[in-house]
Amino acid sequence: MILFPAIDLKNGQCVRLEQGDMARATVFNLDPAAQAKSFAAQGFQYLHVVDLDGAFAGKPMNAQAVESMLKVVSMPVQLGGGIRDLATVEAWLSKGIARVIIGTAAVRDPALVKEAAKSFPGRVAVGLDARDGKVAVEGWAESSQVTALEIAQRFEDAGVAAIIFTDIARDGLLKGINWDATIALAEAISIPVIASGGLASIEDVKAMLSPHAQKLEGAIAGRALYDGRLDPAEALALIGAARAA
């Protein structure tokens, strides 16, 4: 079970949004590389990064910030935002990204996900961001008419490494993760699922470690870490104890 600290990039800075709204961004660190180093020093083992500008533009927009992070941390980094074609997938993986996350293109161009997952086994994840059960695309600016489960099922035999499932209504608001919807998705598919959106406190970490959540690969923590509501040492100690047991 992995707790992924999140770095969301906007204009080269480390920010957190509320419900995916770019107008409701709080800047937490002007130096993403320093933030990545801080998470590494705290003992985290896997970093989750999103190029927010890229998600809206449909192409990488914060490459310099991402590359600066890759230079200063040795832990694996998964990256989403603006990855819409195979050339971009290849470029990021060649630069040292451990796993790319395909979101909008998973809805619009499922063949891309299948081709990428086949070409790069274990290194392609799908990001499914749901609002009222329906998946949103283009940096959450548009809603589709398909459910997260419908899209996830398209990739059951494609070799996708993970599904990152975000409840947009909770994202950045510290309301707690939507465990019911996340676990229901995990139980309906064979692909590992990562919970995202709203992780608020150590209670969410305990929920992630509960027996009925055991199909999950982990959860993503953002604002709760930046706000100090989640103590990294306490969270990682809990996860370590659960692994040892």
Side-chain angles (χ1 to χ4, degrees), residues 15 25-26 49 52 71 79 88 119 129 180 185 205 207 218 222:
V15 306
T26 306
V49 178
L52 294 171
K71 284 180 186 147
L79 172 71
T88 306
S119 302
D129 308 320
D180 291 344
L185 177 64
V205 177

mmCIF file of all heavy atoms in Angstrom, residues 15 25-26 49 52 71 79 88 119 129 180 185 205 207 218 222:
data_model
loop_
_atom_site.group_PDB
_atom_site.id
_atom_site.type_symbol
_atom_site.label_atom_id
_atom_site.label_comp_id
_atom_site.label_asym_id
_atom_site.label_seq_id
_atom_site.Cartn_x
_atom_site.Cartn_y
_atom_site.Cartn_z
ATOM 1 N N VAL A 15 1.257 23.953 -6.560
ATOM 2 C CA VAL A 15 -0.019 24.498 -6.091
ATOM 3 C C VAL A 15 -0.979 23.374 -5.712
ATOM 4 O O VAL A 15 -0.737 22.210 -5.986
ATOM 5 C CB VAL A 15 -0.704 25.377 -7.175
ATOM 6 C CG1 VAL A 15 0.234 26.463 -7.670
ATOM 7 C CG2 VAL A 15 -1.202 24.530 -8.344
ATOM 8 N N ALA A 25 -6.557 28.299 -6.966
ATOM 9 C CA ALA A 25 -5.258 27.665 -6.731
ATOM 10 C C ALA A 25 -4.544 28.340 -5.567
ATOM 11 O O ALA A 25 -4.528 29.561 -5.461
ATOM 12 C CB ALA A 25 -4.396 27.753 -7.989
ATOM 13 N N THR A 26 -3.978 27.532 -4.691
ATOM 14 C CA THR A 26 -3.151 28.041 -3.599
ATOM 15 C C THR A 26 -1.717 27.623 -3.883
ATOM 16 O O THR A 26 -1.438 26.438 -4.097
ATOM 17 C CB THR A 26 -3.581 27.430 -2.251
ATOM 18 O OG1 THR A 26 -4.971 27.653 -2.054
ATOM 19 C CG2 THR A 26 -2.806 28.046 -1.099
ATOM 20 N N VAL A 49 2.898 13.448 -9.644
ATOM 21 C CA VAL A 49 3.027 14.811 -10.178
ATOM 22 C C VAL A 49 1.994 15.031 -11.278
ATOM 23 O O VAL A 49 1.770 14.155 -12.119
ATOM 24 C CB VAL A 49 4.454 15.049 -10.742
ATOM 25 C CG1 VAL A 49 4.575 16.456 -11.337
ATOM 26 C CG2 VAL A 49 5.498 14.846 -9.656
ATOM 27 N N LEU A 52 -0.740 20.659 -14.402
ATOM 28 C CA LEU A 52 -2.096 21.206 -14.536
ATOM 29 C C LEU A 52 -2.253 22.017 -15.817
ATOM 30 O O LEU A 52 -3.259 21.889 -16.526
ATOM 31 C CB LEU A 52 -2.435 22.075 -13.324
ATOM 32 C CG LEU A 52 -2.550 21.353 -11.977
ATOM 33 C CD1 LEU A 52 -2.672 22.373 -10.856
ATOM 34 C CD2 LEU A 52 -3.732 20.410 -11.960
ATOM 35 N N LYS A 71 15.898 15.376 -11.244
ATOM 36 C CA LYS A 71 17.338 15.482 -10.956
ATOM 37 C C LYS A 71 17.648 15.330 -9.473
ATOM 38 O O LYS A 71 18.761 14.958 -9.110
ATOM 39 C CB LYS A 71 17.865 16.845 -11.436
ATOM 40 C CG LYS A 71 18.048 16.925 -12.940
ATOM 41 C CD LYS A 71 18.577 18.293 -13.331
ATOM 42 C CE LYS A 71 18.624 18.426 -14.853
ATOM 43 N NZ LYS A 71 18.355 19.782 -15.305
ATOM 44 N N LEU A 79 3.576 10.680 -13.560
ATOM 45 C CA LEU A 79 3.253 12.011 -14.067
ATOM 46 C C LEU A 79 2.023 11.973 -14.962
ATOM 47 O O LEU A 79 1.917 11.140 -15.861
ATOM 48 C CB LEU A 79 4.436 12.561 -14.879
ATOM 49 C CG LEU A 79 4.183 13.871 -15.647
ATOM 50 C CD1 LEU A 79 4.073 15.044 -14.684
ATOM 51 C CD2 LEU A 79 5.288 14.118 -16.664
ATOM 52 N N THR A 88 4.748 11.784 -26.677
ATOM 53 C CA THR A 88 4.866 12.399 -25.346
ATOM 54 C C THR A 88 5.114 11.328 -24.288
ATOM 55 O O THR A 88 5.926 11.516 -23.377
ATOM 56 C CB THR A 88 3.605 13.214 -25.016
ATOM 57 O OG1 THR A 88 3.360 14.146 -26.064
ATOM 58 C CG2 THR A 88 3.767 13.974 -23.717
ATOM 59 N N SER A 119 3.527 -1.135 -25.498
ATOM 60 C CA SER A 119 4.908 -0.731 -25.796
ATOM 61 C C SER A 119 5.756 -0.586 -24.541
ATOM 62 O O SER A 119 6.963 -0.827 -24.572
ATOM 63 C CB SER A 119 4.915 0.595 -26.563
ATOM 64 O OG SER A 119 4.179 0.504 -27.760
ATOM 65 N N ASP A 129 -11.147 10.809 -13.598
ATOM 66 C CA ASP A 129 -11.595 11.851 -12.678
ATOM 67 C C ASP A 129 -13.101 12.002 -12.845
ATOM 68 O O ASP A 129 -13.556 12.398 -13.922
ATOM 69 C CB ASP A 129 -10.880 13.164 -12.997
ATOM 70 C CG ASP A 129 -9.359 12.984 -13.056
ATOM 71 O OD1 ASP A 129 -8.833 12.241 -12.214
ATOM 72 O OD2 ASP A 129 -8.727 13.572 -13.940
ATOM 73 N N ASP A 180 -16.199 4.541 -0.679
ATOM 74 C CA ASP A 180 -17.224 3.632 -1.207
ATOM 75 C C ASP A 180 -17.096 3.487 -2.724
ATOM 76 O O ASP A 180 -17.046 2.372 -3.261
ATOM 77 C CB ASP A 180 -18.636 4.127 -0.852
ATOM 78 C CG ASP A 180 -18.926 4.007 0.637
ATOM 79 O OD1 ASP A 180 -18.177 3.270 1.323
ATOM 80 O OD2 ASP A 180 -19.878 4.642 1.117
ATOM 81 N N LEU A 185 -15.112 0.438 -7.397
ATOM 82 C CA LEU A 185 -14.415 0.357 -8.679
ATOM 83 C C LEU A 185 -13.315 -0.704 -8.626
ATOM 84 O O LEU A 185 -13.190 -1.531 -9.538
ATOM 85 C CB LEU A 185 -13.814 1.722 -9.035
ATOM 86 C CG LEU A 185 -12.981 1.790 -10.325
ATOM 87 C CD1 LEU A 185 -13.853 1.496 -11.550
ATOM 88 C CD2 LEU A 185 -12.303 3.147 -10.471
ATOM 89 N N VAL A 205 -5.879 7.418 6.026
ATOM 90 C CA VAL A 205 -4.792 6.436 5.907
ATOM 91 C C VAL A 205 -5.217 5.120 6.569
ATOM 92 O O VAL A 205 -4.987 4.035 6.032
ATOM 93 C CB VAL A 205 -3.495 6.975 6.533
ATOM 94 C CG1 VAL A 205 -2.390 5.927 6.472
ATOM 95 C CG2 VAL A 205 -3.055 8.251 5.812
ATOM 96 N N ALA A 207 -8.278 4.082 6.836
ATOM 97 C CA ALA A 207 -9.278 3.485 5.944
ATOM 98 C C ALA A 207 -8.602 2.768 4.780
ATOM 99 O O ALA A 207 -9.034 1.692 4.348
ATOM 100 C CB ALA A 207 -10.221 4.567 5.429
ATOM 101 N N GLY A 218 -3.069 2.081 -3.308
ATOM 102 C CA GLY A 218 -2.701 3.148 -2.383
ATOM 103 C C GLY A 218 -3.595 4.356 -2.542
ATOM 104 O O GLY A 218 -4.686 4.266 -3.110
ATOM 105 N N GLY A 222 -2.525 15.291 -0.883
ATOM 106 C CA GLY A 222 -2.098 16.602 -1.361
ATOM 107 C C GLY A 222 -2.199 17.656 -0.285
ATOM 108 O O GLY A 222 -1.321 17.806 0.559
#
